Amino acid sequence: MTREELARHDGREGRKAYVAVNGKIYDVSTSPLWAEGNHQDIHQAGADLTEELKSAPHVRAVMERFPVVGRLEEAVTGSSPKAAGLIGATIVAVIALAAVALWLLLCQD
């Protein structure tokens, strides 16, 4: 599930209340503590709460009580360093081949 899809599950107006923690998406809809997607005026459903809950006690034990309904997909923004390195290496190789071809053409008698 993307972050945009997760945001649509905010628990408001009868919608399901989903939260993401450490890449897992949990359905907290049945919990009275998540009424209307709001948890004690601190957390809102439809969001990745990983950072917010890092310092919370017993996060894993509490979250595991809820069903996992999916995994949070990380957005692809640009290319990865590995892909960028491959592209750069390919460009260098093409330039080197073009330089060799040009040198061969210029050096013919």
Side-chain angles (χ1 to χ4, degrees):
M1 182 179 294
T2 66
R3 290 180 186 274
E4 292 78 20
E5 291 168 327
L6 175 61
R8 290 193 289 264
H9 295 86
D10 61 5
R12 296 180 180 146
E13 300 175 356
R15 293 185 291 268
K16 293 277 189 178
Y18 292 175
V19 296
V21 179
N22 295 325
K24 292 181 183 177
I25 299 174
Y26 297 90
D27 183 349
V28 295
S29 303
T30 59
S31 173
L33 295 174
W34 283 93
E36 284 298 306
N38 186 289
H39 179 63
Q40 301 178 345
D41 292 326
I42 299 172
H43 306 294
Q44 181 62 47
D48 182 357
L49 302 180
T50 302
E51 290 300 316
E52 295 177 43
L53 298 180
K54 276 190 175 179
S55 61
H58 313 296
V59 172
R60 186 174 183 177
V62 171
M63 293 312 299
E64 286 180 351
R65 295 178 189 163
F66 298 103
V68 174
V69 294
R71 295 207 47 87
L72 186 61
E73 294 177 9
E74 290 303 317
V76 177
T77 55
S79 60
S80 68
K82 185 175 182 179
L86 290 174
I87 292 169
T90 302
I91 291 170
V92 169
V94 168
I95 292 171
L97 285 171
V100 169
L102 181 61
W103 180 76
L104 289 172
L105 284 173
L106 294 174
C107 291
Q108 286 183 344
D109 291 330

